[in-house]
């Protein structure tokens, strides 16, 4: 198996609950984008602009004197989250959503199913990791 693939599997086998919640958010976001994608560049340009402004502010608020490159995934998340929130709110505007929930039951079922499948995959990887470590070689 390629090393990058093994690295990804290992990451998910050791993922903490807080990070798993972030993955659920990402899955929910992508399901929403799938159902409500709008190619209007204004939505995406505004989302990038908000991401830059808020991302810089978040970087400044969490900086502890280290280079932002010290934790590239944290830096990515600090810029990605404002982008996702901005584009999500633009895509669902006028769609009848309640908070993050579509008025279309089918969309909610798809999002929940995708999150559940991801959760089962992580649980299986954790189980496999725990049992392969415990079993004698």
């Amino acid at each position: 198996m390629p090393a990058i693939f093994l690295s990804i599997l290992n990451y998910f086998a050791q993922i903490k609950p807080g990070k798993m919640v972030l993955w659920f958010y990402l899955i929910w976001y992508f399901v929403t984008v799938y159902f409500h994608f709008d190619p209007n560049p204004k939505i995406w340009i505004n989302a990038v602009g908000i991401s830059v402004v808020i991302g810089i502010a978040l970087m400044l608020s969490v900086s502890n004197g280290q280079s932002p490159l010290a934790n590239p995934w944290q830096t990515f998340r600090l810029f990605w989250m404002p982008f996702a929130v901005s584009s999500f709110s633009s895509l669902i505007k006028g769609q009848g959503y309640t908070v993050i929930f579509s008025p279309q039951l089918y969309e909610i079922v798809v999002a929940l199913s995708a999150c559940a499948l991801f959760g089962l995959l992580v649980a299986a990887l954790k189980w496999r990791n725990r049992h392969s470590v415990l079993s004698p070689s």
Side-chain angles (χ1 to χ4, degrees):
M1 236 182 256
I4 187 77
F5 185 70
L6 291 174
S7 177
I8 292 168
L9 290 179
N10 189 46
Y11 166 80
F12 286 122
Q14 298 176 16
I15 196 168
K16 303 277 190 255
K19 292 284 188 329
M20 202 149 150
V21 169
L22 294 177
W23 280 97
F24 289 142
Y25 288 170
L26 183 64
I27 291 165
W28 199 279
Y29 170 80
F30 281 132
V31 169
T32 301
V33 169
Y34 174 79
F35 283 112
H36 299 282
F37 180 77
D38 185 338
N40 182 350
K42 186 175 180 180
I43 291 172
W44 306 104
I45 291 168
N46 285 338
V48 168
I50 288 170
S51 173
V52 169
V53 171
I54 302 300
I56 290 171
L58 290 171
M59 288 292 297
L60 293 171
S61 73
V62 300
S63 71
N64 57 2
Q66 290 183 337
S67 163
L69 299 177
N71 190 341
W73 281 113
Q74 178 183 4
T75 301
F76 175 77
R77 285 193 311 267
L78 292 175
F79 284 87
W80 171 258
M81 287 182 187
F83 173 85
V85 169
S86 175
S87 59
F88 185 92
S89 73
S90 292
L91 294 174
I92 69 168
K93 183 178 180 182
Q95 300 287 335
Y97 270 63
T98 302
V99 188
I100 63 166
F101 299 102
S102 170
Q104 304 299 320
L105 181 60
Y106 176 73
E107 293 176 22
I108 295 172
V109 169
V110 170
L112 288 174
S113 297
C115 288
L117 283 172
F118 173 72
L120 288 172
L121 171 70
V122 168
L125 289 169
K126 285 181 176 290
W127 183 86
R128 181 181 157 270
N129 199 30
R130 188 170 36 248
H131 285 79
S132 67
V133 170
L134 296 177
S135 63
S137 298

